[in-house]
Amino acid sequence: MRAVPRRSAKRESDLTDTVPAGRLLGAEFFDRDTVAVARDLLGKVLVREVGGRTLWGRLVEVEAYLGPDDLAAHSSGGRRSPRNEVMYGPPGHAYIYFTYGMHHCLNFVTREEGLAQAVLVRALEPGPGVGRCSGPGLVCRALDIDRNLNGAALVPPSIYVLDDGTPSRRLYATPRIGIGQQGDWDRPSATFLLGLAPPLAPNI
């Protein structure tokens, strides 16, 4: 994992020194048990560079999706299509899908190639000048993320994750949000939250 230096945002506002200095989380970080990756992502910094701007937020809510045996995963039952093909690819890439005809959702591909598992980014603590990030659709809207980034490696300059060594906070595990209609599956705690109470609604 290589270090990424502190950088100043190039924004129309006077914001400076926005991105914490930290170590880049490379493919080896994501090439592990998906639940472990989800838990370890909490508190890390998601960075998006676009249009001369640097946007960032701290990961505070994520959700694990565990492949063909997971009835709520896009790869449930081994389903494979152009939409979810990135999930079957190598770890450390962005899997982005469009839902409800209006929202993009960002996922990080985990495990080795062919297993089709991923972690959904559900919420961030937004950095300076970043809008609301209290749901997966809001995260993508605030960081200007869409399917043009689908399949992108999580490396600078477009989109990446840093570990800035911020001290850990209390972690909560809850059932996943808004997927009861997908049927019963023995994964009662696959949504992970950092330093805040469990959510009451699936804020998009």
Side-chain angles (χ1 to χ4, degrees), residues 95-139:
Y95 166 46
I96 299 164
Y97 61 86
F98 192 59
T99 187
Y100 298 124
M102 64 179 70
H103 301 298
H104 288 93
C105 295
L106 169 66
N107 302 258
F108 302 140
V109 178
T110 60
R111 299 293 302 266
E112 60 267 30
E113 192 167 351
L115 280 189
Q117 299 190 20
V119 175
L120 170 67
V121 176
R122 283 198 52 85
L124 305 175
E125 286 180 353
V130 175
R132 290 180 58 215
C133 294
S134 56
L138 292 170
V139 168

Side-chain angles (χ1 to χ4, degrees), residues 53-76:
R53 301 176 299 158
T54 302
L55 309 172
W56 66 277
R58 194 170 299 279
L59 291 151
V60 294
E61 185 178 349
V62 296
E63 204 159 70
Y65 287 89
L66 306 181
D69 293 331
D70 181 346
L71 298 182
H74 288 175
S75 54
S76 174

Side-chain angles (χ1 to χ4, degrees), residues 5 12 14 22 41 45 63-64 78 87 90 97 101 113 116 118 171 179 203:
E12 293 179 357
D14 294 329
L41 278 167
V45 177
E63 204 159 70
M87 288 185 75
Y97 61 86
E113 192 167 351
L171 180 149
I179 62 170
N203 299 320

Side-chain angles (χ1 to χ4, degrees), residues 174-185:
T174 78
R176 288 181 299 193
I177 309 301
I179 62 170
Q181 71 274 18
Q182 297 294 334
D184 295 329
W185 186 68

